[in-house]
Structure formats: C-alpha cells, structure tokens
Amino acid sequence: MTLSTAAWPAPTATEPLDAVVDVPGSKSLTNRYLVLAALASGPTELVRPLHSRDSELMVRALRALGVSVEPAGDDGADLLITPRPLRGPAHVDCGLAGSAPLGCGGTAPTSATCGPSTRPPASGSAPRPPPPAT
C-alpha cells in the first residue's frame, strides 16, 4: 500500500456559516464546578456537565459529605447542587480519579477519608493498586 503525498484540498465555505456545535464537557472542569457549587452560598445548576465515572465519583463524594446533588433540567442531564454544612466521618471512593481527592481534600472535614474503589477495573484498563496497609 502506498500513501499519497498529494495535498488534500480542505473544504471551504461558499457562504457564511450559521451553526450550533455541541462541545462535550470536560471531566476536570465538571469536577471543579461541582466543588465550587458545593461551597457556594446558594443552589447552583450545572447545565450539561460531563457525565463520566470520575464525575459520578465526585457526586457521590459530595453527597457523602452532606451536599445535595440532584438531576435537573427537562431530561435530568443537568445537576442541581444545594450546599449544606459538610459532615463527617465519610468514606469517599476515589477510584482512580485524580479530581475527587483533590476537590474534596481541601473542603472535607478532617474525618473524611479517601479509599480505593471496590469496583473492579473496566476491561482493558490498568489494574488498581492494592489498598494501603493499615
């Protein structure tokens, strides 16, 4: 098989464009917005946050600490976060997420702990490290 080295003519618009493009959310930004909303002085609605395993772990962590996080919007894809006083003790399942321990670490009561996930790794993913020795 031979690869062509000929230049490919990029498509060009023949008239002004008028379009709406849905850009997927960011996992890191979604988790940051969740923490900021949990620390806000009143309820916050996140419109079209990214729904991923890491953001679900953050939602569970915030709920474990006393924050209300509920589906919102017509299709339930938005999130309504209602801050409440943080409480502990709480065990937070961080899985392999980097944002959950970072986001909750600075806001959580000192009795909150971040532990390894009990969920088996997804097929093809890196194995989880063993839990720390106690």
Side-chain angles (χ1 to χ4, degrees), residues 12 15 26 30 32 38 47-48 52 59 64 76 83-84 89-90 104-105 109 131:
T12 56
E15 56 190 60
S26 159
T30 294
R32 289 178 185 141
V47 178
R48 299 197 49 147
S52 67
V59 166
R84 299 215 173 103
C104 292

PDB file of all heavy atoms in Angstrom, residues 12 15 26 30 32 38 47-48 52 59 64 76 83-84 89-90 104-105 109 131:
ATOM      1  N   THR A  12     -13.990  24.402   1.856  1.00  0.00           N
ATOM      2  CA  THR A  12     -14.171  25.806   2.219  1.00  0.00           C
ATOM      3  C   THR A  12     -15.643  26.163   2.101  1.00  0.00           C
ATOM      4  O   THR A  12     -16.377  25.570   1.310  1.00  0.00           O
ATOM      5  CB  THR A  12     -13.342  26.743   1.309  1.00  0.00           C
ATOM      6  OG1 THR A  12     -13.716  26.490  -0.056  1.00  0.00           O
ATOM      7  CG2 THR A  12     -11.851  26.494   1.468  1.00  0.00           C
ATOM      8  N   GLU A  15     -20.492  30.325   1.637  1.00  0.00           N
ATOM      9  CA  GLU A  15     -21.312  31.394   2.208  1.00  0.00           C
ATOM     10  C   GLU A  15     -21.087  31.400   3.714  1.00  0.00           C
ATOM     11  O   GLU A  15     -20.502  30.451   4.263  1.00  0.00           O
ATOM     12  CB  GLU A  15     -22.786  31.191   1.869  1.00  0.00           C
ATOM     13  CG  GLU A  15     -23.322  29.840   2.308  1.00  0.00           C
ATOM     14  CD  GLU A  15     -24.720  29.578   1.750  1.00  0.00           C
ATOM     15  OE1 GLU A  15     -24.889  29.554   0.529  1.00  0.00           O
ATOM     16  OE2 GLU A  15     -25.613  29.391   2.596  1.00  0.00           O
ATOM     17  N   SER A  26     -15.944  18.902  29.999  1.00  0.00           N
ATOM     18  CA  SER A  26     -14.623  18.489  30.464  1.00  0.00           C
ATOM     19  C   SER A  26     -14.770  17.805  31.818  1.00  0.00           C
ATOM     20  O   SER A  26     -15.445  18.316  32.710  1.00  0.00           O
ATOM     21  CB  SER A  26     -13.727  19.723  30.606  1.00  0.00           C
ATOM     22  OG  SER A  26     -12.640  19.456  31.470  1.00  0.00           O
ATOM     23  N   THR A  30     -15.859  19.809  35.064  1.00  0.00           N
ATOM     24  CA  THR A  30     -17.095  19.382  35.716  1.00  0.00           C
ATOM     25  C   THR A  30     -16.850  19.159  37.203  1.00  0.00           C
ATOM     26  O   THR A  30     -17.618  19.623  38.052  1.00  0.00           O
ATOM     27  CB  THR A  30     -17.657  18.112  35.052  1.00  0.00           C
ATOM     28  OG1 THR A  30     -18.059  18.418  33.715  1.00  0.00           O
ATOM     29  CG2 THR A  30     -18.857  17.572  35.820  1.00  0.00           C
ATOM     30  N   ARG A  32     -14.476  20.419  39.088  1.00  0.00           N
ATOM     31  CA  ARG A  32     -14.197  21.702  39.741  1.00  0.00           C
ATOM     32  C   ARG A  32     -15.491  22.481  39.977  1.00  0.00           C
ATOM     33  O   ARG A  32     -15.693  23.072  41.037  1.00  0.00           O
ATOM     34  CB  ARG A  32     -13.222  22.515  38.903  1.00  0.00           C
ATOM     35  CG  ARG A  32     -11.835  21.932  38.926  1.00  0.00           C
ATOM     36  CD  ARG A  32     -10.882  22.714  38.053  1.00  0.00           C
ATOM     37  NE  ARG A  32      -9.597  22.039  38.030  1.00  0.00           N
ATOM     38  CZ  ARG A  32      -8.837  21.925  36.966  1.00  0.00           C
ATOM     39  NH1 ARG A  32      -9.207  22.472  35.827  1.00  0.00           N
ATOM     40  NH2 ARG A  32      -7.691  21.295  37.022  1.00  0.00           N
ATOM     41  N   ALA A  38     -20.720  23.250  45.515  1.00  0.00           N
ATOM     42  CA  ALA A  38     -20.922  22.730  46.872  1.00  0.00           C
ATOM     43  C   ALA A  38     -20.511  23.754  47.924  1.00  0.00           C
ATOM     44  O   ALA A  38     -21.023  23.738  49.042  1.00  0.00           O
ATOM     45  CB  ALA A  38     -20.131  21.444  47.062  1.00  0.00           C
ATOM     46  N   VAL A  47     -25.406  23.146  33.900  1.00  0.00           N
ATOM     47  CA  VAL A  47     -26.094  22.805  32.663  1.00  0.00           C
ATOM     48  C   VAL A  47     -25.158  21.977  31.792  1.00  0.00           C
ATOM     49  O   VAL A  47     -24.043  22.400  31.475  1.00  0.00           O
ATOM     50  CB  VAL A  47     -26.551  24.081  31.920  1.00  0.00           C
ATOM     51  CG1 VAL A  47     -27.230  23.736  30.605  1.00  0.00           C
ATOM     52  CG2 VAL A  47     -27.471  24.896  32.815  1.00  0.00           C
ATOM     53  N   ARG A  48     -25.607  20.798  31.451  1.00  0.00           N
ATOM     54  CA  ARG A  48     -24.891  19.852  30.580  1.00  0.00           C
ATOM     55  C   ARG A  48     -23.476  19.546  31.066  1.00  0.00           C
ATOM     56  O   ARG A  48     -22.523  19.629  30.298  1.00  0.00           O
ATOM     57  CB  ARG A  48     -24.881  20.364  29.155  1.00  0.00           C
ATOM     58  CG  ARG A  48     -26.307  20.501  28.626  1.00  0.00           C
ATOM     59  CD  ARG A  48     -26.373  20.610  27.171  1.00  0.00           C
ATOM     60  NE  ARG A  48     -25.568  19.559  26.578  1.00  0.00           N
ATOM     61  CZ  ARG A  48     -25.852  18.980  25.446  1.00  0.00           C
ATOM     62  NH1 ARG A  48     -26.918  19.315  24.815  1.00  0.00           N
ATOM     63  NH2 ARG A  48     -25.073  18.072  24.943  1.00  0.00           N
ATOM     64  N   SER A  52     -19.412  11.271  33.643  1.00  0.00           N
ATOM     65  CA  SER A  52     -18.356  10.265  33.491  1.00  0.00           C
ATOM     66  C   SER A  52     -18.192   9.545  34.815  1.00  0.00           C
ATOM     67  O   SER A  52     -18.779   9.932  35.827  1.00  0.00           O
ATOM     68  CB  SER A  52     -17.034  10.944  33.110  1.00  0.00           C
ATOM     69  OG  SER A  52     -16.573  11.749  34.191  1.00  0.00           O
ATOM     70  N   VAL A  59     -19.691  13.317  42.578  1.00  0.00           N
ATOM     71  CA  VAL A  59     -21.062  13.499  43.064  1.00  0.00           C
ATOM     72  C   VAL A  59     -21.280  12.651  44.305  1.00  0.00           C
ATOM     73  O   VAL A  59     -21.814  13.121  45.318  1.00  0.00           O
ATOM     74  CB  VAL A  59     -22.085  13.158  41.956  1.00  0.00           C
ATOM     75  CG1 VAL A  59     -23.493  12.994  42.524  1.00  0.00           C
ATOM     76  CG2 VAL A  59     -22.067  14.220  40.866  1.00  0.00           C
ATOM     77  N   ALA A  64     -21.779  12.137  50.161  1.00  0.00           N
ATOM     78  CA  ALA A  64     -21.321  11.522  51.410  1.00  0.00           C
ATOM     79  C   ALA A  64     -20.960  12.582  52.442  1.00  0.00           C
ATOM     80  O   ALA A  64     -21.050  12.340  53.644  1.00  0.00           O
ATOM     81  CB  ALA A  64     -20.109  10.617  51.137  1.00  0.00           C
ATOM     82  N   GLY A  76     -33.060  15.591  32.835  1.00  0.00           N
ATOM     83  CA  GLY A  76     -32.330  15.111  34.006  1.00  0.00           C
ATOM     84  C   GLY A  76     -30.826  15.081  33.827  1.00  0.00           C
ATOM     85  O   GLY A  76     -30.110  14.582  34.685  1.00  0.00           O
ATOM     86  N   PRO A  83     -25.732  23.505  48.452  1.00  0.00           N
ATOM     87  CA  PRO A  83     -24.740  23.386  49.524  1.00  0.00           C
ATOM     88  C   PRO A  83     -25.399  23.151  50.872  1.00  0.00           C
ATOM     89  O   PRO A  83     -26.495  23.650  51.133  1.00  0.00           O
ATOM     90  CB  PRO A  83     -24.021  24.737  49.509  1.00  0.00           C
ATOM     91  CG  PRO A  83     -24.448  25.423  48.271  1.00  0.00           C
ATOM     92  CD  PRO A  83     -25.741  24.818  47.842  1.00  0.00           C
ATOM     93  N   ARG A  84     -24.739  22.385  51.681  1.00  0.00           N
ATOM     94  CA  ARG A  84     -25.152  22.147  53.062  1.00  0.00           C
ATOM     95  C   ARG A  84     -23.881  22.079  53.884  1.00  0.00           C
ATOM     96  O   ARG A  84     -22.797  21.862  53.327  1.00  0.00           O
ATOM     97  CB  ARG A  84     -25.927  20.836  53.160  1.00  0.00           C
ATOM     98  CG  ARG A  84     -27.194  20.831  52.315  1.00  0.00           C
ATOM     99  CD  ARG A  84     -28.302  20.052  52.981  1.00  0.00           C
ATOM    100  NE  ARG A  84     -29.539  20.205  52.247  1.00  0.00           N
ATOM    101  CZ  ARG A  84     -30.044  19.288  51.440  1.00  0.00           C
ATOM    102  NH1 ARG A  84     -29.425  18.144  51.262  1.00  0.00           N
ATOM    103  NH2 ARG A  84     -31.183  19.509  50.823  1.00  0.00           N
ATOM    104  N   PRO A  89     -17.992  11.579  59.971  1.00  0.00           N
ATOM    105  CA  PRO A  89     -16.998  10.974  59.092  1.00  0.00           C
ATOM    106  C   PRO A  89     -17.644  10.460  57.814  1.00  0.00           C
ATOM    107  O   PRO A  89     -18.823  10.146  57.791  1.00  0.00           O
ATOM    108  CB  PRO A  89     -16.441   9.827  59.929  1.00  0.00           C
ATOM    109  CG  PRO A  89     -17.526   9.484  60.885  1.00  0.00           C
ATOM    110  CD  PRO A  89     -18.285  10.759  61.140  1.00  0.00           C
ATOM    111  N   ALA A  90     -16.855  10.405  56.772  1.00  0.00           N
ATOM    112  CA  ALA A  90     -17.331   9.903  55.492  1.00  0.00           C
ATOM    113  C   ALA A  90     -16.190   9.178  54.797  1.00  0.00           C
ATOM    114  O   ALA A  90     -15.041   9.593  54.892  1.00  0.00           O
ATOM    115  CB  ALA A  90     -17.813  11.055  54.621  1.00  0.00           C
ATOM    116  N   CYS A 104     -12.170  17.239  47.054  1.00  0.00           N
ATOM    117  CA  CYS A 104     -12.759  17.077  48.388  1.00  0.00           C
ATOM    118  C   CYS A 104     -11.733  17.271  49.488  1.00  0.00           C
ATOM    119  O   CYS A 104     -12.093  17.621  50.598  1.00  0.00           O
ATOM    120  CB  CYS A 104     -13.382  15.691  48.522  1.00  0.00           C
ATOM    121  SG  CYS A 104     -14.829  15.494  47.489  1.00  0.00           S
ATOM    122  N   GLY A 105     -10.471  17.068  49.184  1.00  0.00           N
ATOM    123  CA  GLY A 105      -9.449  17.135  50.215  1.00  0.00           C
ATOM    124  C   GLY A 105      -9.385  18.469  50.928  1.00  0.00           C
ATOM    125  O   GLY A 105      -9.254  18.529  52.142  1.00  0.00           O
ATOM    126  N   PRO A 109     -14.358  17.614  55.914  1.00  0.00           N
ATOM    127  CA  PRO A 109     -13.989  17.565  57.326  1.00  0.00           C
ATOM    128  C   PRO A 109     -12.797  16.634  57.497  1.00  0.00           C
ATOM    129  O   PRO A 109     -12.574  15.745  56.686  1.00  0.00           O
ATOM    130  CB  PRO A 109     -15.238  16.976  58.002  1.00  0.00           C
ATOM    131  CG  PRO A 109     -16.334  17.080  57.011  1.00  0.00           C
ATOM    132  CD  PRO A 109     -15.709  17.150  55.661  1.00  0.00           C
ATOM    133  N   PRO A 131      -4.999  -1.763  48.262  1.00  0.00           N
ATOM    134  CA  PRO A 131      -5.268  -0.750  49.277  1.00  0.00           C
ATOM    135  C   PRO A 131      -4.066  -0.587  50.193  1.00  0.00           C
ATOM    136  O   PRO A 131      -3.270  -1.512  50.348  1.00  0.00           O
ATOM    137  CB  PRO A 131      -6.475  -1.297  50.040  1.00  0.00           C
ATOM    138  CG  PRO A 131      -6.711  -2.679  49.558  1.00  0.00           C
ATOM    139  CD  PRO A 131      -5.863  -2.911  48.353  1.00  0.00           C
TER     140      PRO A 131
END
